[in-house]
Amino acid sequence: MTTLQTQDTAALTLTVADLVRAAQAGDRDAFGLLFERYRPGIVALAMRRVRNADEAEELAQDVFIQAMQKIDQLRVPEAFGGWLRRIVHRMAINRMTRTRSAIACDPETLEATCLADGTPDQEAQDREQAAAVRDSIDRLGELDQETLKAFYLRGQSLIQMSVEFDAPVGTIKRRLHVARKRLAKEMDVTQAV
């Protein structure tokens, strides 16, 4: 066994708590190993929060920088993973609230650009229909829910969904087709009741 293989094997046998304690003692290599272990999951979580691959990568980097700077504050080394997830959640919220831009609009512009189509009765029916669709989606399997929400609610393209779900575009098209059929069947069952 080479020295490099011995080091890799030793690194794999260290627990997260061991690595955290070493990092808290100033061992940068230990933090590097924590980074390698947790990076894929943190990037995936960041992607779910910010819905943009570049933003997710940047957020993940910021999370690890924050974690490295504040690792001394972690009292329970075994809780490192949960601690990182809380940092992702908090930093994602901060990032999204900072990047939202308010659009000022005077009443005349608002009135000229907003059209009220239909009657109050029609609007109530539309809201009921939308609620029925949301309820039916919630009764579907998780993959069907995520597929429909990504395409219809978040307006993602097939290519964006392919990246998010790590699946070929053809698979995404099939998932959408199947999810639509299941949703239609669920809506029929709900309306029949």
Side-chain angles (χ1 to χ4, degrees):
M1 194 178 263
T2 67
T3 306
L4 185 57
Q5 288 174 326
T6 306
Q7 289 174 342
D8 287 346
T9 304
L12 291 174
T13 60
L14 291 174
T15 66
V16 169
D18 294 335
L19 291 171
V20 169
R21 286 187 200 96
Q24 287 174 328
D27 185 346
R28 291 179 152 262
D29 291 335
F31 193 85
L33 290 171
L34 287 168
F35 174 83
E36 288 175 19
R37 283 188 191 183
Y38 283 91
R39 184 185 174 284
I42 295 303
V43 170
L45 180 59
M47 183 66 181
R48 284 193 298 257
R49 298 283 183 205
V50 297
R51 308 239 182 262
N52 177 299
D54 294 331
E55 283 281 321
E57 287 288 341
E58 189 176 313
L59 177 60
Q61 290 296 325
D62 291 346
V63 165
F64 280 105
I65 290 169
Q66 175 99 11
M68 188 170 61
Q69 292 170 345
K70 302 201 179 221
I71 197 158
D72 292 336
Q73 296 176 8
L74 181 61
R75 293 184 183 150
V76 181
E78 294 82 2
F80 183 76
W83 182 65
L84 272 181
R85 286 188 292 278
R86 284 193 307 276
I87 294 173
V88 171
H89 179 71
R90 188 181 68 248
M91 290 182 83
I93 290 171
N94 290 345
R95 181 178 295 262
M96 293 180 73
T97 55
R98 271 187 269 126
T99 58
R100 282 192 191 146
S101 56
I103 299 172
C105 190
D106 59 81
E108 292 82 21
T109 304
L110 185 60
E111 187 175 327
T113 58
C114 293
L115 299 174
D117 291 336
T119 65
D121 288 340
Q122 183 62 43
E123 289 178 24
Q125 285 178 337
D126 291 346
R127 280 195 302 274
E128 286 176 15
Q129 180 68 20
V133 170
R134 281 193 302 275
D135 290 343
S136 294
I137 288 174
D138 289 343
R139 286 191 294 276
L140 295 175
E142 186 175 335
L143 185 60
D144 289 340
Q145 285 183 31
E146 286 301 314
T147 302
L148 292 171
K149 288 177 181 178
F151 190 75
Y152 290 107
L153 300 181
R154 294 193 302 267
Q156 291 183 334
S157 70
L158 294 174
I159 294 171
Q160 290 170 322
M161 291 173 65
S162 174
V163 171
E164 179 179 340
F165 293 113
D166 192 28
V169 172
T171 301
I172 298 301
K173 286 180 181 179
R174 183 185 50 76
R175 285 181 188 171
L176 266 173
H177 177 75
V178 170
R180 284 184 197 123
K181 282 189 166 213
R182 288 181 179 151
L183 178 60
K185 188 175 182 179
E186 186 63 39
M187 294 287 296
D188 287 344
V189 168
T190 302
Q191 290 174 355
V193 174

